[in-house]
Amino acid sequence: MDAFNPQQTTELVSRIGARKSHMRIDKLWWNSFMAGPLLGFGCASSLCTTASPWYQENAPGLIRTIGALVFPIGLVMVVLSGADLFTGDIMFMTVAFLHRRVTIWDVLKIWVVSFFGNLAGILFFMAIIIGYGGVFDEAVYKNESITGAISRAQVPQWHQIFLKAIGANWLVCFAVYGSISARDITGKILACWWPPATFVALALDHVIANMFFIPLGIWNGAPFGVGYYIWKSMIPAALGNILGGTLFVGVMYWYLYLAGEGTIKIDSSLGNFLDAAMEAGGPMPPNGRSVGESKNHSDGTAAETTDDSGPIDGQTNRQLKSSGQYMTSGIGQELGPETYTENNGLDRKDHSPDDLV
């Protein structure tokens, strides 16, 4: 199977979260800032598509679905560029924390900086590129932005926004999770496309996307102000997104695939058909067999012992804390200890792999 299995993917999510905790605060801020406009492009494209009065009146479900299929452009650009999206960082940092690779202060730092970085970036995009740029100056777009802001912030009750936000980030985090399991660009794009399209089609609440839609409606004359938006929409959407990303993706997949499982091997080889079949079996030991188990040839003679702890295909040893196995994938090499020693000016001779995460 040309993808990492769920256990390997969850291990990679944990390692990515650990690496984020080492990012310089200024880089974390600007990486989060850049995620705002990238997601904003998808939001603007979706709004442009749904601003169709005839369809809104005669086929509202159809035009909402078409707009939903356009929206994921933003998330694809965020994932492919490695930008920090607050709702995705919820999953990364939850798994890394449960895996004991980061502290609670690391989690809060990443969440707070990415949240406000996303806010600054998407408001910049909304005001400068879209607003002053006159992208939606026509009446049909202004009316659609006002209607959308009212339907997101004014019509639903507080608890409804909170509950819808749980579902929204459940789907967004699953999209990011799926993109990590893919080994090529096409697979990552497809993995990022359908879950966010689903949450948009269902009109669920994503706190960062709403930072574009609702302020744009206020910009164009929606009948409420910033304070109302923060209390009625931003707070319940943020809390719901946190619960959806932590509980239904981060905690659940950590429990299923990492809790009590020991070290996890990350291997870029495609494996054989048996390995592919075993990947679909859910939480189980790697390859469905114990380390050191021998395999027999058809003539009854013993083959060489299978030992998952050694280097594969001549690759060098690349280890991380809580993961003592060898890694041969590209992302495994990127998340290896050499990255930390080079970026932090450490002398590898004076540090063990366990000191580098």
Side-chain angles (χ1 to χ4, degrees):
M1 186 179 294
D2 191 10
F4 294 111
N5 64 36
Q7 188 175 54
Q8 293 170 326
T9 302
T10 309
E11 168 69 15
L12 288 172
V13 168
S14 174
R15 298 184 190 191
I16 292 170
R19 189 183 181 196
K20 285 180 181 292
S21 69
H22 291 269
M23 189 182 298
R24 277 173 26 193
I25 197 72
D26 59 320
K27 289 193 174 186
L28 175 61
W29 167 263
W30 288 111
N31 204 39
S32 302
F33 181 94
M34 290 302 297
L38 295 179
L39 190 69
F41 282 113
C43 295
S45 299
S46 179
L47 187 148
C48 183
T49 304
T50 56
S52 306
W54 188 91
Y55 282 98
Q56 293 285 8
E57 182 177 351
N58 296 280
L62 175 62
I63 194 62
R64 179 192 283 184
T65 302
I66 295 173
L69 292 174
V70 174
F71 174 84
I73 293 170
L75 184 62
V76 168
M77 291 190 290
V78 167
V79 168
L80 295 185
S81 66
D84 273 280
L85 186 66
F86 165 71
T87 47
D89 284 349
I90 289 171
M91 173 189 66
F92 288 124
M93 300 313 296
T94 297
V95 176
F97 175 73
L98 293 173
H99 215 187
R100 299 184 179 181
R101 284 175 165 160
V102 299
T103 67
I104 188 62
W105 302 114
D106 291 324
V107 174
L108 295 177
K109 176 188 73 174
I110 299 297
W111 285 6
V112 169
V113 174
S114 63
F115 181 87
F116 286 103
N118 291 170
L119 175 62
I122 205 163
L123 288 180
F124 165 81
F125 173 79
M126 184 279 297
I128 305 302
I129 306 299
I130 302 299
Y132 287 118
V135 175
F136 292 144
D137 275 356
E138 292 88 346
V140 64
Y141 297 121
K142 287 187 176 182
N143 293 336
E144 177 63 22
S145 68
I146 294 172
T147 301
I150 292 173
S151 67
R152 287 177 173 86
Q154 210 168 32
V155 173
Q157 299 181 36
W158 200 96
H159 74 279
Q160 291 176 319
I161 296 174
F162 170 77
L163 294 174
K164 289 192 295 181
I166 293 175
N169 206 35
W170 186 346
L171 290 167
V172 169
C173 286
F174 187 82
V176 176
Y177 182 90
S179 73
I180 294 171
S181 72
R183 304 191 194 214
D184 56 26
I185 296 296
T186 302
K188 291 180 182 296
I189 292 173
L190 291 175
C192 285
W193 208 274
W194 303 111
T198 302
F199 97 71
V200 175
L202 296 175
L204 304 181
D205 281 275
H206 185 266
V207 66
I208 308 302
N210 283 354
M211 291 174 183
F212 173 85
F213 290 117
I214 299 178
L216 181 63
I218 296 173
W219 178 283
N220 287 324
F224 56 86
V226 175
Y228 183 89
Y229 157 56
I230 292 174
W231 163 247
K232 184 66 184 301
S233 175
M234 182 181 288
I235 292 175
L239 294 176
N241 285 170
I242 290 172
L243 182 59
T246 54
L247 181 60
F248 293 105
V249 183
V251 173
M252 186 59 64
Y253 291 147
W254 168 81
Y255 168 74
L256 290 173
Y257 295 113
L258 294 184
E261 293 297 322
T263 56
I264 308 300
K265 183 186 72 171
I266 308 296
D267 187 355
S268 64
S269 63
L270 300 184
N272 55 37
F273 292 109
L274 174 61
D275 294 330
M278 296 304 289
E279 286 180 2
M284 61 176 63
N287 299 325
R289 62 174 72 92
S290 61
V291 174
E293 179 183 344
S294 62
K295 295 178 288 187
N296 294 328
H297 291 301
S298 58
D299 60 1
T301 60
E304 62 181 27
T305 300
T306 301
D307 186 354
D308 290 335
S309 64
I312 301 173
D313 298 333
Q315 297 294 320
T316 57
N317 181 14
R318 302 179 184 276
Q319 296 177 321
L320 284 174
K321 183 178 181 180
S322 302
S323 182
Q325 300 290 1
Y326 291 82
M327 298 183 295
T328 63
S329 70
I331 192 169
Q333 296 176 9
E334 176 65 18
L335 296 174
E338 290 85 350
T339 302
Y340 299 122
T341 59
E342 294 170 359
N343 290 345
N344 296 297
L346 301 175
D347 186 353
R348 178 158 179 78
K349 295 182 295 183
D350 299 329
H351 294 81
S352 67
D354 287 352
D355 296 330
L356 302 176
V357 173

